[in-house]
Amino acid sequence: MSQSTMFKSSALFLFTLLGKALGQEPSVISTYFPTSLPPPWQTNEPTVSPTAFPSTAPSISSAPTETCYKVEIGLIFDKYPDETSWELVKGRRPSFQNNKAVTVKESPFYDPKPPGNYREASEKHIVCLPEGRYTFTIMDREKDGLCCNEGEGRYVVTYQSTGDMIAQGADFGEFESTTFDVPYRQPNYKDNDADGRDDTTKNVYPPLVYPCVNKLGINLKTDDYGVETTFELWTRSNTQDYQDGTLVASGGPYTSDHEYNLSYCLDPGKYTFVLLDWACD
C-alpha cells in the first residue's frame, strides 16, 4: 500500500515531430484383462507371496475447475476514506436496487486511522471472476465522491490480462455503477456527450489519420499501483505553463504491473509529454 501524501510529480519530455517518426483429450491408461481365467488345475502355486498393497497408487482425476478472469480495482482516497465503499454483484443492478442481487465481493468503509491509514492513500484489490455479467458500484455516504472538495481521489477498474480499462471516476456524488462482461472486450471509442473524451476511459485521443506519417510511440510499464499513473500530451505553448497548450492525448489510470505499447498519429509540430505519478514515487 502506498501511504504517501498526495502530490503530483511530472516529467516533461519535449520533442519535435519534423517528419516521419519510427513506427515501430485426457490421457488414456490402457490395462489388459484376459477374457477368461484358466482352469484351477492349470494354476501353479505362486512362488512369492502377494504384496499387501498394490505396487502403484491408482491415478485420480480431479474435477475440472472453472476459468476465472482477474479484475483489478484501484483506489486513491480523499481525506475521508471512511465514507467510501464498493461492491461487485452479478447481473445489471447494484444490491440497493435489487434485493436479490448476488454479491461477489464488497469492501468495508476504509479506516482513516491506524492500522488502516487510508486517508489520502492508495489501495488495490484483485478479484477473479467466472465468465458472466457483473456490476461494479462505488459509493460515498456523504454523497461527494472521491474528488474534489476534500482531496483528489479516484478509482479505476481494469481487466488485468489486457490492461484495458473497464471504468474510472472521481467526482461521482453518491454512487456510480458500471456493468460489464467477462471475458472483457474493450468497446470502440464513443463520445456521446461530446466532451472530447472517450466515454469509458475519460481520456483524450487524437483523430485517426491514414496514412499515419508522424507516429508517436509510448512504452509504459506500470508498478504495483497502476491507479497512480497517468499521462498527458500537449501542444507546446509559448509560456512556461504547458497547460497553456492544447491537450491532444491522455492516458490512465492503469492496471498494475502491466506493459503498455501505445501509438498516436500527430500533426507536425512541437509537443510536451507529461508523465504523472500521484504518489511521487
Side-chain angles (χ1 to χ4, degrees):
M1 178 193 314
S2 170
Q3 302 297 336
S4 303
T5 58
M6 180 176 70
F7 292 98
K8 287 187 178 181
S9 68
S10 62
L12 308 184
F13 302 87
L14 310 183
F15 56 87
T16 303
L17 296 175
L18 299 178
K20 183 175 180 181
L22 296 176
Q24 310 212 282
E25 172 163 295
S27 59
V28 177
I29 301 174
S30 299
T31 305
Y32 171 74
F33 295 96
T35 57
S36 61
L37 294 175
W41 58 84
Q42 293 183 8
T43 303
N44 297 323
E45 291 294 328
T47 56
V48 180
S49 297
T51 58
F53 300 98
S55 57
T56 58
S59 61
I60 301 175
S61 299
S62 59
T65 58
E66 188 173 21
T67 301
C68 72
Y69 304 88
K70 291 182 179 180
V71 169
E72 180 178 314
I73 300 161
L75 301 157
I76 295 176
F77 299 99
D78 60 10
K79 295 176 182 178
Y80 298 97
D82 51 337
E83 298 174 359
T84 302
S85 66
W86 56 267
E87 68 172 19
L88 196 57
V89 302
K90 291 184 178 180
R92 293 180 174 272
R93 293 188 294 164
S95 62
F96 56 83
Q97 293 179 349
N98 177 16
N99 58 15
K100 295 182 180 180
V102 176
T103 301
V104 177
K105 194 78 173 180
E106 62 185 343
S107 79
F109 293 101
Y110 291 84
D111 193 347
K113 300 177 182 180
N117 288 325
Y118 283 107
R119 188 188 306 273
E120 295 187 298
S122 59
E123 180 61 292
K124 70 175 181 181
H125 305 275
I126 297 173
V127 184
C128 207
L129 301 174
E131 182 175 347
R133 178 162 293 172
Y134 300 89
T135 295
F136 172 83
T137 303
I138 189 164
M139 296 156 281
D140 189 284
R141 57 185 173 184
E142 290 300 317
K143 304 180 182 180
D144 59 358
L146 290 168
C147 182
C148 300
N149 294 330
E150 302 296 343
E152 296 185 14
R154 61 175 175 248
Y155 76 91
V156 65
V157 183
T158 54
Y159 191 57
Q160 272 208 322
S161 63
T162 62
D164 289 335
M165 185 189 295
I166 298 172
Q168 72 140 309
D171 187 9
F172 54 82
E174 185 176 5
F175 74 93
E176 191 166 63
S177 294
T178 300
T179 299
F180 61 96
D181 295 333
V182 294
Y184 182 72
R185 293 174 178 82
Q186 184 83 39
N188 294 328
Y189 176 88
K190 290 182 181 179
D191 183 16
N192 291 332
D193 56 3
D195 65 350
R197 295 175 179 267
D198 177 63
D199 293 343
T200 299
T201 67
K202 309 296 192 296
N203 281 316
V204 176
Y205 297 89
L208 294 176
V209 178
Y210 183 82
C212 182
V213 177
N214 300 293
K215 181 181 287 188
L216 169 67
I218 301 173
N219 177 263
L220 178 66
K221 176 68 170 67
T222 59
D223 60 10
D224 290 344
Y225 290 90
V227 65
E228 297 176 355
T229 302
T230 59
F231 80 83
E232 297 171 351
L233 181 66
W234 299 77
T235 58
R236 180 89 68 87
S237 71
N238 294 321
T239 70
Q240 296 298 315
D241 186 354
Y242 68 86
Q243 291 184 326
D244 287 340
T246 301
L247 180 65
V248 296
S250 63
Y254 295 100
T255 199
S256 303
D257 301 304
H258 191 87
E259 185 172 2
Y260 294 84
N261 289 290
L262 313 172
S263 63
Y264 302 95
C265 286
L266 303 177
D267 292 329
K270 297 180 179 181
Y271 295 83
T272 300
F273 178 83
V274 185
L275 183 65
L276 303 163
D277 186 270
W278 175 87
C280 305
D281 59 1

